[in-house]
Amino acid sequence: MTLSDRDVRTMLGLIGSPDDDADPGPMPWSVLHGLRELISCDALAFFRLDSDRREVPWARDLPDAGADDLLPAFWAHYRDCRPCSYPDESGDHRSVITLSDFLSLRELRATGMYADYLRPSGVQREIMLCLPSPPRQTVRLVLFRGPGRDFSERDRALLTLLRPHLHELHRARTSSALTTRQRQLLGLVAAGHTNGQIARRLGVADATVRKHLENIFGRLGVQSRAAAVTAAFGVEPA
């Protein structure tokens, strides 16, 4: 796969663009707009998908999707739609995948996911990457197109090259959402300490540790200790 000079320049601009401290979200809007410029699409979404709880704890959409009234339909067909559930079922968070890797357009149109969710959303084509995430709480970037040309191997190659840089940017922003005390406590969680051990180490009550963890989960949009460690540090806890 040979990339054009323009592709390389745009990609380097995305990687090297200055961070915006006034925009504390999980990924700068400037980067998401840059991705739409690099890979033409009708819409783009960066979000965390908690498939056990059937929730999307946080999301950034271009254009702004607002409240998604079709989410119940999405969850109703999620397990049966292999491209959607593939990261959960396989544990593969590295591959950049498209709908057409799994289904022809004719096969896709015969699915409940297409009838009840994709078609009402105007979507026929998708390309998706996942960042390093805890099982079943995947952080995903999805680009959408309606009728027309599919995403290409050039698009897949660009997202594959950008993936580690997007992960580092997301990890740094996630970590900066925590206070110094919260990062210290979560570092002890990452090292394998129990709540009681952390409480004794920090000289606080067990209830204080639990409250800190609740606040950390809320800030990171996760539901477990392992997910918080992975979100903040990009590693699995000991």
Side-chain angles (χ1 to χ4, degrees):
M1 171 62 61
T2 302
L3 301 178
S4 70
D5 289 343
R6 180 183 178 186
D7 287 339
V8 173
R9 287 195 301 270
T10 304
M11 189 167 59
L12 290 174
L14 277 174
I15 295 169
S17 60
D19 208 349
D20 183 0
D21 293 335
D23 173 20
M27 186 65 66
W29 287 113
S30 60
V31 170
L32 299 180
H33 281 287
L35 284 167
R36 285 191 75 188
E37 178 183 342
L38 181 65
I39 301 175
S40 175
C41 59
D42 297 324
L44 174 153
F46 182 67
F47 57 97
R48 180 182 291 278
L49 193 76
D50 187 329
S51 58
D52 284 335
R53 293 175 176 263
R54 296 192 166 196
E55 294 177 350
V56 180
W58 53 258
R60 286 203 153 181
D61 303 292
L62 285 177
D64 183 7
D68 192 345
D69 296 333
L70 295 174
L71 271 178
F74 171 82
W75 288 117
H77 299 292
Y78 177 75
R79 296 291 174 211
D80 296 328
C81 181
R82 193 171 174 226
C84 298
S85 60
Y86 173 79
D88 284 339
E89 301 302 327
S90 68
D92 177 9
H93 294 173
R94 291 184 172 274
S95 300
V96 177
I97 63 173
T98 66
L99 290 176
S100 55
D101 290 336
F102 300 85
L103 300 166
S104 68
L105 194 53
R106 180 179 179 180
E107 290 170 332
L108 177 67
R109 287 170 174 164
T111 65
M113 181 66 83
Y114 182 79
D116 297 337
Y117 183 76
L118 294 175
R119 184 172 62 184
S121 301
V123 173
Q124 288 194 9
R125 309 289 191 179
E126 287 185 10
I127 190 167
M128 175 175 71
L129 70 78
C130 294
L131 300 185
S133 312
R136 310 175 80 82
Q137 295 191 42
T138 46
V139 176
R140 305 184 182 198
L141 173 71
V142 185
L143 283 65
F144 306 94
R145 288 176 182 166
R149 63 188 178 92
D150 199 357
F151 291 97
S152 67
E153 290 306 310
R154 170 259 185 193
D155 302 331
R156 195 195 307 267
L158 287 169
L159 289 176
T160 300
L161 289 170
L162 283 169
R163 180 178 176 274
H165 303 286
L166 295 174
H167 170 55
E168 178 57 28
L169 179 56
H170 173 62
R171 187 205 62 75
R173 287 186 142 237
T174 300
S175 181
S176 68
L178 304 177
T179 66
T180 300
R181 187 65 158 178
Q182 288 171 335
R183 286 196 297 273
Q184 179 189 19
L185 188 150
L186 198 54
L188 293 172
V189 172
H193 295 290
T194 66
N195 282 7
Q197 290 169 333
I198 293 170
R200 290 190 292 273
R201 185 85 171 255
L202 299 180
V204 298
D206 287 10
T208 301
V209 173
R210 290 195 296 271
K211 187 61 178 178
H212 275 308
L213 286 172
E214 288 177 10
N215 292 334
I216 289 169
F217 293 173
R219 289 197 178 199
L220 300 183
V222 300
Q223 304 292 340
S224 71
R225 294 158 63 94
V229 169
T230 303
F233 304 131
V235 299
E236 297 288 342

